[in-house]
């Protein structure tokens, strides 16, 4: 997923940083699921947000290590942008459930990172158990990957 960031804009010129790297890299699988906003406010979510499943409802939400409803464990990666979703609202989204993803583009909640431990495993291991392999973008820069 590419993005354009305006670095400098004056009356006569503009300068951009363009990122054309991909989030979903290889052999990815997706499914449509119902996403629920449980944050207490209207929020937007970006592609790459790590998702967890609420055990009681089967719906997915943003994964948080402090949760106790089942959503503290990662089960997928958000593959579509969600804009201005009201609290306790649902929307059908596209979620990556398997394949290789760019580790540096994963979006975790709060202070969580890919090495955060949850139930005696780090999030990288939980993602791999779910079928998602987080790979560094720098691993894809060699000539053998052309």
């Amino acid at each position: 997923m590419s993005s354009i960031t305006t670095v400098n804009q004056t009356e006569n010129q503009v300068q951009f940083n363009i990122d054309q790297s991909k989030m979903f890299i290889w052999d990815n699988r997706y499914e449509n699921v119902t996403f629920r906003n449980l944050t207490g406010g209207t929020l937007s979510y970006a592609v790459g947000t790590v998702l967890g499943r609420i055990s009681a409802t089967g719906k997915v939400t943003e994964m948080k290590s402090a949760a106790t409803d089942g959503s503290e464990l990662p089960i997928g990666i958000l593959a579509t942008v969600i804009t201005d979703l009201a609290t306790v609202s649902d929307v059908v989204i596209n979620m990556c459930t398997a394949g290789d993803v760019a580790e540096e583009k994963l979006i975790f909640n709060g202070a969580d990172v890919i090495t955060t431990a949850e139930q005696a495993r780090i999030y990288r291991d939980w993602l791999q158990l779910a079928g998602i392999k987080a790979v560094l973008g720098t691993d894809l820069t060699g000539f053998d990957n052309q």
Side-chain angles (χ1 to χ4, degrees), residues 53-136:
R53 187 175 308 277
I54 304 164
S55 300
T57 64
K59 297 175 182 180
V60 299
T61 191
E62 182 180 22
M63 187 212 62
K64 296 178 185 168
S65 61
T68 58
D69 61 359
S71 65
E72 66 272 16
L73 299 176
I75 56 116
I77 310 297
L78 182 63
T80 52
V81 175
I82 301 174
T83 23
D84 299 329
L85 184 62
T87 188
V88 195
S89 294
D90 296 342
V91 64
V92 175
I93 55 113
N94 200 358
M95 175 178 73
C96 174
T97 59
D100 292 358
V101 297
E103 179 179 320
E104 62 274 9
K105 292 186 174 262
L106 292 175
I107 301 169
F108 289 90
N109 179 275
D112 292 339
V113 293
I114 198 151
T115 56
T116 300
E118 181 66 41
Q119 296 183 16
R121 293 183 192 264
I122 62 172
Y123 282 137
R124 178 190 316 278
D125 295 339
W126 283 113
L127 284 168
Q128 197 148 3
L129 285 171
I132 298 170
K133 184 175 180 186
V135 296
L136 292 173

Side-chain angles (χ1 to χ4, degrees), residues 3-104:
S3 66
I4 300 174
T5 307
T6 304
V7 177
N8 185 18
Q9 184 172 1
T10 67
E11 210 172 282
N12 299 320
Q13 66 183 3
V14 64
Q15 180 183 9
F16 299 106
N17 283 341
I18 300 173
D19 177 8
Q20 293 183 318
S21 59
K22 295 181 179 181
M23 171 77 214
F24 305 102
I25 299 167
W26 178 252
D27 198 24
N28 298 100
R29 292 191 177 149
Y30 304 89
E31 69 179 67
N32 289 330
V33 294
T34 302
F35 180 94
R36 174 162 278 187
N37 178 5
L38 295 174
T39 62
T42 300
L43 285 181
S44 297
Y45 299 90
V47 170
T49 301
V50 181
L51 304 174
R53 187 175 308 277
I54 304 164
S55 300
T57 64
K59 297 175 182 180
V60 299
T61 191
E62 182 180 22
M63 187 212 62
K64 296 178 185 168
S65 61
T68 58
D69 61 359
S71 65
E72 66 272 16
L73 299 176
I75 56 116
I77 310 297
L78 182 63
T80 52
V81 175
I82 301 174
T83 23
D84 299 329
L85 184 62
T87 188
V88 195
S89 294
D90 296 342
V91 64
V92 175
I93 55 113
N94 200 358
M95 175 178 73
C96 174
T97 59
D100 292 358
V101 297
E103 179 179 320
E104 62 274 9

